[in-house]
C-alpha cells in the first residue's frame, strides 16, 4: 500500500470513529443524576418571627435541602432541572409536600432567602448545585412550625424520611434521592428548650443516605 493510500485509510478510519462517537453521544444524550445525600446538612426552619413561629397555628415550617447533580453526558449535551420538590414522611404523620422556592444563602447569623428558584442548567461533563428553601405549594397546605415541632417532641417521631425529586426538562423524567433524619432525645430536648425560651426556630441535622 502506497504511503498516500495509508494516509487516506487512516483519515477514513478516524472520520468513521468520530462519526460513531458523535452518533453514540446523540443517542445517549445528557445523563444527569442527583448526588448522594450522605453527610449533607438539612435544616428544618420556620418562616417568620420567632414569636409567630411558636404560636399555635402560627408561621409555617420549611426545609433547607442541597441540590447537587452531575451530568455525565458528553460536552454539548446539556440538561435542565426544571422543578424540585420534597416530601417529608414519618410514621403516624401525614406526608408534607414542599416545593423549591428560593436559593438559600448561609450567613453567620443563620442564613436568608436568595433568588427565587429558576430552572438550573447543567452542561455536559459538569456539575451544579446549591442549597434551596422548600415551602408549601400554597398557604392553605402549609404546616405550622409549632405543630410540626410538637409531632417531633411529643409524638415522638423517631425518624423523618426526606425525599428530594427533580424534574428533568430534556430527558423529561424525574430523579430522586432519599435520606433519613434521626430524631434523638437530644434533638427533642433542644427543641423544647428553644420553644420555652421563644428562641430561633430551626434545627440542623445530618442526612443518612438511603439512595
Amino acid at each position: 500500500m502506497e504511503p498516500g493510500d495509508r494516509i487516506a485509510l487512516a483519515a477514513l478510519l478516524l472520520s468513521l470513529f468520530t462519526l460513531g462517537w458523535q452518533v453514540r453521544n446523540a443517542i445517549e444524550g445528557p445523563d444527569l443524576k442527583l448526588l448522594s445525600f450522605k453527610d449533607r446538612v438539612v435544616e428544618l426552619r420556620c418562616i417568620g418571627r420567632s414569636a409567630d413561629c411558636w404560636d399555635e397555628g402560627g408561621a409555617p415550617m420549611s426545609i433547607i435541602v442541597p441540590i447537587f447533580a452531575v451530568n455525565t453526558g458528553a460536552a454539548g449535551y446539556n440538561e435542565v432541572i426544571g422543578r424540585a420538590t420534597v416530601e417529608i414522611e414519618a410514621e403516624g404523620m401525614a406526608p408534607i409536600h414542599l416545593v423549591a422556592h428560593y436559593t438559600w444563602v448561609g450567613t453567620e447569623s443563620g442564613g436568608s432567602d436568595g433568588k427565587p428558584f429558576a430552572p438550573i442548567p447543567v452542561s455536559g461533563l459538569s456539575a451544579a448545585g446549591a442549597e434551596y428553601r422548600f415551602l408549601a405549594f400554597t398557604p392553605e397546605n402549609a404546616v405550622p412550625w409549632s405543630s410540626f415541632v410538637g409531632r417531633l417532641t411529643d409524638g415522638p417521631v423517631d425518624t423523618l424520611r426526606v425525599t428530594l425529586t427533580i424534574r428533568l426538562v430534556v430527558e423529561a423524567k424525574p430523579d430522586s434521592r432519599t435520606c433519613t433524619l434521626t430524631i434523638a432525645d437530644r434533638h427533642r430536648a433542644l427543641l423544647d428548650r428553644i420553644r420555652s425560651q421563644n428562641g430561633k426556630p430551626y434545627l440542623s441535622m445530618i442526612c443518612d443516605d438511603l439512595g
Side-chain angles (χ1 to χ4, degrees):
M1 181 180 291
E2 297 296 326
D5 294 335
R6 293 194 185 97
I7 294 174
L9 178 60
L12 175 61
L13 293 175
L14 179 60
S15 64
L16 290 175
F17 175 80
T18 301
L19 178 61
W21 186 258
Q22 290 174 344
V23 170
R24 171 187 175 277
N25 289 338
I27 293 173
E28 293 189 355
D31 186 15
L32 187 140
K33 293 288 187 298
L34 280 171
L35 297 182
S36 171
F37 263 130
K38 184 67 175 176
D39 295 331
R40 302 218 181 265
V41 175
V42 169
E43 186 171 285
L44 303 166
R45 180 177 283 268
C46 180
I47 309 166
R49 301 181 308 163
S50 294
D52 296 331
C53 291
W54 296 113
D55 285 343
E56 184 176 352
M61 62 82 64
S62 69
I63 189 170
I64 314 300
V65 174
I67 300 177
F68 294 110
V70 61
N71 183 1
T72 58
Y77 291 90
N78 307 327
E79 184 56 273
V80 177
I81 300 173
R83 182 180 175 86
T85 58
V86 158
E87 182 178 66
I88 304 174
E89 300 173 286
E91 186 175 352
M93 186 178 81
I96 300 173
H97 301 278
L98 307 171
V99 63
H101 273 254
Y102 301 99
T103 57
W104 182 252
V105 181
T107 66
E108 292 183 1
S109 60
S112 62
D113 290 332
K115 297 179 180 179
F117 179 87
I120 306 168
V122 187
S123 302
L125 295 177
S126 69
E131 292 184 322
Y132 290 86
R133 187 203 277 267
F134 290 74
L135 312 177
F137 287 83
T138 65
E140 293 75 20
N141 294 327
V143 175
W145 172 259
S146 58
S147 62
F148 176 72
V149 169
R151 296 172 190 176
L152 302 186
T153 58
D154 306 330
V157 170
D158 294 324
T159 59
L160 293 174
R161 182 182 176 94
V162 179
T163 300
L164 169 65
T165 300
I166 59 173
R167 186 72 188 180
L168 306 180
V169 175
V170 177
E171 294 183 277
K173 67 179 184 179
D175 190 27
S176 299
R177 296 302 294 254
T178 300
C179 80
T180 58
L181 303 175
T182 302
I183 311 298
D185 287 341
R186 68 179 185 277
H187 298 127
R188 298 188 182 95
L190 174 61
L191 287 171
D192 275 334
R193 185 171 71 252
I194 296 173
R195 178 168 50 187
S196 67
Q197 298 171 353
N198 211 29
K200 292 184 178 180
Y202 73 93
L203 178 66
S204 296
M205 306 186 69
I206 301 294
C207 253
D208 299 319
D209 184 55
L210 290 180

